[in-house]
């Protein structure tokens, strides 16, 4: 068996010990005589998996007692509608901060549900830098302020927590949740698709402060109503059971590694290897402002786009895949989530040097 170094932006690489354990438990989970996929979501076996996964997430992220953790479906793109449906009703207005493709998409979708304003945008820098907090024009009457903590395509990431006063901060953390410690109490709501740092696709995590529940617009489908789901312990409809199980295994693995601080340190180390190299060569280029660079997704461009195919082919031959940049921006992108080992990043830099020697 050969495992590749998979730089995919998502669904993404998972920790090998997790995959091994899932394989071992596939036919018979803990003597139950069935796989997790075959269990009733209301049976005691799955209920225990569900509870353990939720408890682990609360423990690892330090989620305060006045927050609900919801296991939903629909992905972050689904949440682009589900968030305003549930929250905007409090005042009818919301502020959005635009920092790249994903936050722009959130903003567009929200317009259907209320008065949505752009409080700040990184457009002037072509989204290579975050708009500074001083430039934000926040509306104190907004129901919430929306940000994307890590722009998966553009490669900018918040390394500070915006101050939105009494207005709840809402963050799409799809591509950097669990990558570093965060102070959950500074957010009103956090949402994330699981398929970057937590597990397989199909599971969407929502962490919401209890006092924000209860403002859903009448059009909100019950299955997407946070209050309904919170009261039903995320079992109003059948939750994505297998994805929750794998997420639980990933969380256990993360805990064993030492939790958020240890993971963050590992991620910083990996990102530094790549950025230090990019800064030391003229053959490759990363245009993002240094203080806003993502530690999860590192876009870079070769000196000459005509070399892209050769670069990707050589990478593939060396067992490094999914390095092609997003179709909207071109170039390359290395996604180096939690489960990407440091050896993968070192192998990539090694290859980039070699390619530069041949083509520079
Ligand atoms: C991947 C991603 C999404 C899209 O998630 P879906 O599961 O396809 O809905 C949204 N926002 C961010 C920041 C992402 O990285």
């Amino acid at each position: 068996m050969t495992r590749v170094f998979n730089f995919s932006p998502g669904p993404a690489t998972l920790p090998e010990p997790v995959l091994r354990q899932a394989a071992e438990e596939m036919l018979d989970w803990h003597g139950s005589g069935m796989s997790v996929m075959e269990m009733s979501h209301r049976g005691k076996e799955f209920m225990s998996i569900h509870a353990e996964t939720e408890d682990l997430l609360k423990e690892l992220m330090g989620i305060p007692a006045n927050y609900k953790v919801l296991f939903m479906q629909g992905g972050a793109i689904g949440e682009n509608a589900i968030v305003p449906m549930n929250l905007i009703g409090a005042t009818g207005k919301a502020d959005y901060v635009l920092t790249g493709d994903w936050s722009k998409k959130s903003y567009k979708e929200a317009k259907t549900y209320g008065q949505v304003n752009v409080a700040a945008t990184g457009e002037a820098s072509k989204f290579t830098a975050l708009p500074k907090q001083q430039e934000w024009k926040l509306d104190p009457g907004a129901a919430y302020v929306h940000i994307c903590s890590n722009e998966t395509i553009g490669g900018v990431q918040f390394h500070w927590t915006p101050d939105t006063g009494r207005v709840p901060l809402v963050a799409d953390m799809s591509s950097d949740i669990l990558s570093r410690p965060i102070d959950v109490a500074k957010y009103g709501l956090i949402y994330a698709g699981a398929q970057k740092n937590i597990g397989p696709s199909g599971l969407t995590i929502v962490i919401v402060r209890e006092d924000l529940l209860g403002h859903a617009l009448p059009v909100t489908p019950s299955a997407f109503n946070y209050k309904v789901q919170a009261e039903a312990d995320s079992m109003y409809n059948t939750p994505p059971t297998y994805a929750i199980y794998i997420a639980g295994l990933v969380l256990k693995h993360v805990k064993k590694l030492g939790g958020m601080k240890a993971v963050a340190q590992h991620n910083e180390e990996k990102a530094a290897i790549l950025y230090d190299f990019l800064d030391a060569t003229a053959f490759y280029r990363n245009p993002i402002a240094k203080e806003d660079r993502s530690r999860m997704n590192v876009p870079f461009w070769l000196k000459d786009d005509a070399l892209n195919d050769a670069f990707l082919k050589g990478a593939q031959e060396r067992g490094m895949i999914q390095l092609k940049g997003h179709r909207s921006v071109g170039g390359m992108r290395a996604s180096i989530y939690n489960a990407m080992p440091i050896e993968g990043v070192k192998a990539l830099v090694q290859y980039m040097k070699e390619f530069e020697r041949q083509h520079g």
Side-chain angles (χ1 to χ4, degrees):
M1 183 201 70
T2 322
R3 299 256 311 153
V4 292
F5 287 127
N6 177 5
F7 293 93
S8 168
T13 189
L14 286 167
E16 199 173 308
V18 165
L19 298 175
R20 286 186 188 284
Q21 188 177 343
E24 261 167 43
E25 295 177 344
M26 176 60 81
L27 295 182
D28 178 9
W29 182 83
H30 295 203
S32 65
M34 50 185 166
S35 89
V36 174
M37 259 179 267
E38 301 166 299
M39 291 175 180
S40 161
H41 59 298
R42 301 196 193 278
K44 67 175 184 334
E45 294 90 354
F46 182 74
M47 294 285 270
S48 75
I49 292 171
H50 191 274
E52 190 181 16
T53 305
E54 186 177 327
D55 288 347
L56 273 166
L57 188 71
K58 285 180 174 165
E59 180 188 336
L60 283 167
M61 290 184 69
I63 300 173
N66 61 327
Y67 284 73
K68 293 283 186 200
V69 171
L70 308 178
F71 293 147
M72 296 179 64
Q73 297 177 68
I77 293 178
E79 289 301 321
N80 284 344
I82 297 168
V83 166
M85 273 194 230
N86 278 276
L87 301 189
I88 208 166
T91 68
K93 304 187 281 183
D95 277 344
Y96 277 69
V97 176
L98 308 190
T99 52
D101 292 75
W102 285 117
S103 50
K104 281 195 275 183
K105 211 176 172 86
S106 301
Y107 163 69
K108 276 194 199 125
E109 183 83 12
K111 282 182 185 176
T112 309
Y113 304 99
Q115 186 192 322
V116 178
N117 307 303
V118 175
T121 171
E123 183 125 47
S125 73
K126 294 206 170 73
F127 298 104
T128 58
L130 295 173
K132 302 264 181 289
Q133 169 100 58
Q134 310 87 273
E135 298 160 16
W136 295 22
K137 292 194 177 64
L138 295 173
D139 175 359
Y144 62 91
V145 180
H146 180 282
I147 63 164
C148 175
S149 58
N150 182 67
E151 288 281 359
T152 321
I153 297 171
V156 298
Q157 182 179 27
F158 277 89
H159 297 293
W160 44 281
T161 314
D163 179 2
T164 54
R166 293 157 60 106
V167 179
L169 179 61
V170 171
D172 175 358
M173 286 197 190
S174 293
S175 52
D176 69 352
I177 191 166
L178 280 184
S179 69
R180 55 182 176 177
I182 58 153
D183 185 355
V184 175
K186 289 190 172 150
Y187 298 83
L189 187 147
I190 291 165
Y191 65 93
Q195 71 270 23
K196 277 95 188 218
N197 248 347
I198 302 183
S201 59
L203 167 64
T204 315
I205 297 206
V206 175
I207 301 164
V208 57
R209 213 173 64 207
E210 278 167 354
D211 63 284
L212 300 179
L213 302 176
H215 298 289
L217 301 177
V219 295
T220 311
S222 308
F224 293 148
N225 184 314
Y226 295 145
K227 189 158 188 277
V228 170
Q229 285 292 9
E231 282 166 358
D233 233 342
S234 304
M235 296 240 190
Y236 176 78
N237 58 335
T238 311
T241 51
Y242 198 76
I244 291 170
Y245 156 70
I246 299 287
L249 296 185
V250 170
L251 294 171
K252 260 185 249 182
H253 177 75
V254 167
K255 186 175 170 180
K256 228 193 235 141
L257 293 175
M260 290 297 87
K261 267 200 179 143
V263 167
Q265 199 181 349
H266 188 235
N267 286 332
E268 271 173 49
E269 234 174 280
K270 286 187 295 182
I273 291 173
L274 199 40
Y275 285 118
D276 286 351
F277 171 67
L278 287 168
D279 288 342
T281 157
F283 187 82
Y284 303 97
R285 183 174 58 84
N286 168 282
I288 307 303
K290 279 190 184 170
E291 66 275 20
D292 298 327
R293 283 171 165 179
S294 169
R295 293 184 186 132
M296 296 280 103
N297 311 93
V298 184
F300 62 89
W301 279 261
L302 276 59
K303 193 183 63 180
D304 178 359
D305 275 341
L307 293 169
N308 287 354
D309 287 345
F311 181 86
L312 290 166
K313 187 162 171 280
Q316 175 106 35
E317 284 163 8
R318 287 160 182 78
M320 289 176 277
I321 67 156
Q322 294 287 344
L323 283 160
K324 193 174 180 165
H326 191 268
R327 59 189 182 279
S328 65
V329 292
M332 305 294 153
R333 169 175 50 170
S335 295
I336 50 173
Y337 299 119
N338 288 358
M340 171 58 66
I342 199 159
E343 292 75 25
V345 178
K346 286 180 178 165
L348 174 61
V349 168
Q350 193 55 42
Y351 168 59
M352 288 168 75
K353 284 181 186 165
E354 189 188 319
F355 190 86
E356 179 179 347
R357 270 197 304 274
Q358 283 168 3
H359 300 273

